[in-house]
Each structure stands twice: as structure tokens, then as C-alpha cells.
Amino acid sequence: MALLIAFPSIAVAQSMRTVTLAKQYHQQSNLKVRLEFAAGTLRLAPGEPNSLYDMRLSYDEERFVPISRFDAAHNEVHLGVVRTGEGGLRVSSAEHLAQEATVTLTPRADLSLDLELGAVDGTIELGGLRLRQVHIAAAASRTDVRFSAANAAPCDVLELSSGSAQFSVRKLGNSRCRRGSLQGGVGVVTLDLTCDCIAGAKLHLLGAVGEL
């Protein structure tokens, strides 16, 4: 006599949660923004004039935790999503790409912007913001950075770095940055230098070992 026992299949699904994290604009003249996004789809763009910042995030709460820390005394904000139990950013696998975030920043304050991207499909629209300093580090992402409109403030420095990523920058000259650097890894880097460039602007290409 043969005995057949059928066990039900078990499917492990992501447990997704949606949150909105925002702060109103209250005449801040400057804002230092640090944005960490470990994995998923990220969209960043200028926000409404009465909003300082806004992040609408859908994330896997079993593996990740959102970040929202605002220091009013120093006009600093730290936003994003990182892996649970970790204080820093680590590249994650593509299985977490269901995560999504839309982040908007004020077009009225001078911004110092620091982006750290892991396994991210990102569209970063910086045109129309008041950028003073920009640092973007893309580890294993597919990231499209755009300066569709001219920077509304003179920028001191623009630092871009990419690892094993597809990284593109459109209308780079519209950043109005006086100094810039690009450090490429083994990925593909595409630059569009279309702009009304300011006198004395420089772009240093460092370690570009992939395709440029």
C-alpha cells in the first residue's frame, strides 16, 4: 500500500507598507539633504513652494526601515530606506525592486544634496532646484540624472560616482557648477553636456574603466 502525502506549497510574499514623511517650508534659506535608498525605484524632483521636503515611500517592512530625521537647528534632513538592523547603505538584490519612493525637495532654499543609491532604478530631476553642492554615488543602480532647467543658484561642486551601474546625466552644464568630477566603475556612463556653461567650469573624469 502506497501512502501519498501532499504538503501545501508555501509562498513567501513581501509585506509592503506605505508611509508619507513631509515637512512644510518655513522660510529656511538653506537645507542639507542626505538621501539613502538601498533598493527599489526612486523618483526625485522639485516640490511645491510651500513644502520643504516630501517622501512618499512603499517599502518591504520585513527587510527595510525608513529614515526620516530632521534637525531644525542646523537645517539638515536625512531621508530614505536602509536594510533592517543596519546603520548604513548596502547593495541589495533585485527582488526588492517592488519598493518605490517619490521624493520632492523645496525649490526655494539653497540645497546641499548627498545621494547614496544601492540597487536602484532612479530618475533624479534636479532642474529648477537651488543647488549649492551635489554628491551622487550610485553603486549597482540604473540612474538617470537630469538638469532639465538651469540650476537656480550658482553651484560650487558636483561629484558623481558610479559602480557596476548604468549612469546617465542629461544637460550637465545646466548644473551651473564651477567644479565637477566623475568617477566611473565597470558600468556604462553617458554624459550630455548640453548647457549654457558658466566661464571657468571644469569637469574631471576619474577612473572611468567602464564605457563612457
Side-chain angles (χ1 to χ4, degrees):
M1 177 179 180
L3 180 64
L4 178 63
I5 302 177
F7 293 95
S9 62
I10 300 175
V12 179
Q14 290 175 307
S15 176
M16 305 300 292
R17 184 178 178 184
T18 301
V19 296
T20 298
L21 306 164
K23 182 73 68 174
Q24 292 293 104
Y25 175 79
H26 292 294
Q27 304 301 318
Q28 290 91 346
S29 61
N30 59 83
L31 182 66
K32 184 176 182 180
V33 180
R34 183 183 179 193
L35 176 59
E36 293 183 72
F37 203 71
T41 301
L42 172 66
R43 292 178 292 275
L44 187 148
E48 297 296 326
N50 63 345
S51 171
L52 188 64
Y53 64 83
D54 186 294
M55 180 173 71
R56 302 186 182 191
L57 171 66
S58 177
Y59 69 100
D60 178 0
E61 64 178 346
E62 295 182 357
R63 298 180 176 89
F64 293 86
V65 61
I67 303 171
S68 177
R69 292 193 287 269
F70 178 66
D71 183 345
H74 298 92
N75 285 340
E76 297 179 358
V77 63
H78 186 184
L79 298 171
V81 62
V82 296
R83 294 181 66 89
T84 303
E86 297 185 2
L89 180 68
R90 192 179 82 177
V91 175
S92 182
S93 63
E95 69 184 76
H96 304 302
L97 293 181
Q99 296 188 142
E100 295 184 356
T102 298
V103 179
T104 60
L105 302 173
T106 178
R108 301 175 70 177
D110 289 351
L111 300 178
S112 174
L113 183 61
D114 184 357
L115 304 184
E116 296 184 47
L117 309 178
V120 173
D121 188 347
T123 302
I124 312 299
E125 175 58 77
L126 301 180
L129 293 173
R130 296 185 58 86
L131 299 167
R132 291 290 189 175
Q133 296 182 358
V134 181
H135 172 75
I136 302 175
S141 66
R142 182 173 59 192
T143 303
D144 183 19
V145 179
R146 305 173 183 176
F147 292 92
S148 299
N151 186 0
C155 174
D156 294 325
V157 61
L158 171 68
E159 297 177 337
L160 306 173
S161 64
S162 66
S164 56
Q166 294 182 12
F167 190 79
S168 65
V169 184
R170 305 187 190 190
K171 295 190 175 181
L172 176 60
N174 278 343
S175 67
R176 298 181 63 200
C177 290
R178 298 186 182 277
R179 293 181 295 114
S181 65
L182 170 64
Q183 185 165 1
V186 297
V188 179
V189 178
T190 304
L191 296 181
D192 168 16
L193 301 179
T194 305
C195 66
D196 295 323
C197 297
I198 62 175
K202 297 180 180 179
L203 179 64
H204 302 280
L205 302 182
L206 306 176
V209 297
E211 297 182 32
L212 177 63

